[in-house]
Amino acid sequence: MPHKRAKHSARNASRDSIGFDRVPTGKAEMDDIPHSARLLFAGPPPKRRPESDRQEVDPSLKIRPNERMRDFKERVDSTFSADINATIKRGQRSESNSRKRERRRELLKAKKRTGNPVLAHEDAAADWAKAAERRSLHDVAQAPPVLTARPKERRKQPSTILEAQAASRPKPSLARQRILDEERDIAVKKYREHKKAKEQHIPSPQTD
């Protein structure tokens, strides 16, 4: 198997054939350089952005002393309400434009289909096929249904407490079941002998 090691003799033979005085492999170029020297070779750290390039925050959008968070949130929402409404309107406008374009495409397709009788016939056949697949409340069955899958058997619920206890009781082992069967046979045999002796008016022999 591929995950098993080779034999000890095979490993020794392979090691002897390769030899010991070899060039090390699998090392990176800077593995032998100390960590402090690597920092020198890495170069200077990236420059920080100047203060002029940083975006200044509007002082009115900062929370004021003793101001509740709810009031601060309402003030920020009122400040950006115009921008938010404009963004929503642009999104609605783009959605309406996309709906209009889709409607135009459908109208063009309908015109092409009406001009071509072959496409019109194919579309009508497809519509009739879809209509046949639909089911309605007023459909009339032409044949009884065909069961393609076997219905699941429902588990019988116990009707009495004794049946529930018997169902919840664990089944005995094979050895215990064999002993119980033997005791049952002995009890049935004694009962039959006692009944037969009683019918013949013969006193049954007393057992120890």
Side-chain angles (χ1 to χ4, degrees), residues 130-165:
K130 290 181 181 178
E133 293 177 358
R134 296 174 184 172
R135 296 292 179 266
S136 176
L137 181 63
H138 304 288
D139 289 346
V140 179
Q142 303 296 333
V146 179
L147 299 178
T148 57
R150 184 179 179 182
K152 295 182 179 180
E153 296 181 358
R154 298 186 63 181
R155 190 174 181 181
K156 186 178 179 182
Q157 298 293 335
S159 57
T160 61
I161 299 176
L162 295 177
E163 291 182 359
Q165 292 177 354

Side-chain angles (χ1 to χ4, degrees), residues 69-130:
M69 186 59 67
R70 182 178 178 181
D71 298 337
F72 173 68
K73 184 179 178 182
E74 291 178 357
R75 187 159 54 84
V76 172
D77 292 342
S78 62
T79 304
F80 291 102
S81 60
D83 298 336
I84 293 171
N85 293 333
T87 305
I88 293 172
K89 287 180 180 179
R90 282 197 298 270
Q92 293 176 352
R93 197 179 301 115
S94 62
E95 289 180 2
S96 62
N97 292 336
S98 62
R99 290 198 205 97
K100 289 178 182 178
R101 285 194 294 270
E102 188 67 25
R103 202 176 296 114
R104 290 196 201 99
R105 291 195 197 99
E106 291 178 357
L107 291 174
L108 290 174
K109 289 180 181 179
K111 288 181 180 179
K112 290 180 180 178
R113 289 169 185 167
T114 53
N116 192 345
V118 178
L119 293 176
H121 179 70
E122 291 179 357
D123 293 340
D127 293 339
W128 279 109
K130 290 181 181 178

Side-chain angles (χ1 to χ4, degrees), residues 188-204:
V188 170
K189 185 177 180 181
K190 287 184 178 180
Y191 172 75
R192 288 176 179 174
E193 291 177 355
H194 177 72
K195 188 175 181 181
K196 186 176 180 181
K198 189 176 181 181
E199 289 177 354
Q200 295 177 358
H201 301 285
I202 300 175
S204 60

Side-chain angles (χ1 to χ4, degrees), residues 8-29:
H8 183 66
S9 59
R11 285 188 274 119
N12 289 339
S14 176
R15 186 173 58 209
D16 295 340
S17 63
I18 293 173
F20 297 96
D21 191 9
R22 293 177 295 161
V23 179
T25 58
K27 282 191 174 184
E29 295 180 357

